């Protein structure tokens, strides 16, 4: 799955907490969110330096980013649940993040783990579906 296909896939499955998501879909989407965050960071720094910290432009930039952050909250959660499904784990394991360091490490290991090669209780292997499209 390419970068643009990943972004389209995540937003087309906005509220879809069922099924599975490949590693590439997961990591490309988080690369996208990182890049948007970097653009926001540089926009804030540039605006703060040129217009001042209390400028209206800075407020607008922060408001736009807040709307963006709220807009990607649900698809990010849905993608994370689908990624956990892909490794054979329930989406409820996302609450391991509440254990801070240990829970985050366990989830990170599951996020980088390859897909279950066969069909699991959450659906068919998305890698096989993607290959079948070509």
């Amino acid at each position: 799955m390419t970068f643009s296909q990943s972004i389209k896939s995540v937003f087309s499955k906005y509220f879809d907490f069922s099924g599975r998501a490949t590693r590439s879909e997961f990591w490309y989407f988080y690369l996208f969110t990182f890049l948007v965050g970097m653009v926001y960071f540089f926009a804030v720094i540039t605006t703060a330096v040129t217009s001042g910290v209390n400028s209206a432009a800075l407020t607008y930039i922060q408001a736009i980013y807040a709307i963006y952050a709220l807009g990607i909250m649900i698809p990010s959660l849905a993608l994370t649940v689908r990624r956990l499904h892909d490794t054979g784990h329930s989406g409820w394991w996302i609450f391991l993040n509440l254990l801070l360091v240990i829970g985050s490490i366990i989830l990170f290991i599951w996020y980088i783990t390859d897909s279950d090669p066969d069909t699991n209780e959450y659906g068919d292997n998305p890698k096989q579906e993607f290959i079948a499209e070509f």
Side-chain angles (χ1 to χ4, degrees), residues 29-49:
F29 184 74
Y30 280 99
L31 175 62
F32 168 75
T33 61
F34 174 77
L35 294 174
V36 170
M38 293 306 299
V39 168
Y40 165 72
F41 173 75
F42 287 118
V44 165
I45 296 298
T46 304
T47 304
V49 169

Side-chain angles (χ1 to χ4, degrees), residues 4-109:
S4 60
Q5 288 173 330
S6 170
I7 307 308
K8 290 176 189 175
S9 174
V10 170
F11 284 117
S12 70
K13 299 175 184 176
Y14 202 90
F15 289 104
D16 187 5
F17 287 82
S18 62
R20 297 167 64 171
T22 62
R23 278 188 298 188
S24 61
E25 180 180 3
F26 181 82
W27 290 112
Y28 278 145
F29 184 74
Y30 280 99
L31 175 62
F32 168 75
T33 61
F34 174 77
L35 294 174
V36 170
M38 293 306 299
V39 168
Y40 165 72
F41 173 75
F42 287 118
V44 165
I45 296 298
T46 304
T47 304
V49 169
T50 58
S51 302
V53 176
N54 295 325
S55 70
L58 189 59
T59 304
Y60 291 131
I61 291 170
Q62 291 171 336
I64 289 169
Y65 188 77
I67 292 168
Y68 161 78
L70 288 173
I72 67 162
M73 187 181 305
I74 298 297
S76 296
L77 285 172
L79 174 64
T80 303
V81 168
R82 289 194 312 271
R83 179 70 197 128
L84 287 170
H85 288 173
D86 191 45
T87 59
H89 298 91
S90 170
W92 291 105
W93 284 105
I94 198 169
F95 289 110
L96 276 178
N97 276 324
L98 297 175
L99 297 176
L100 301 177
V101 176
I102 294 173
S104 298
I105 291 170
I106 293 168
L107 285 172
F108 179 74
I109 291 168

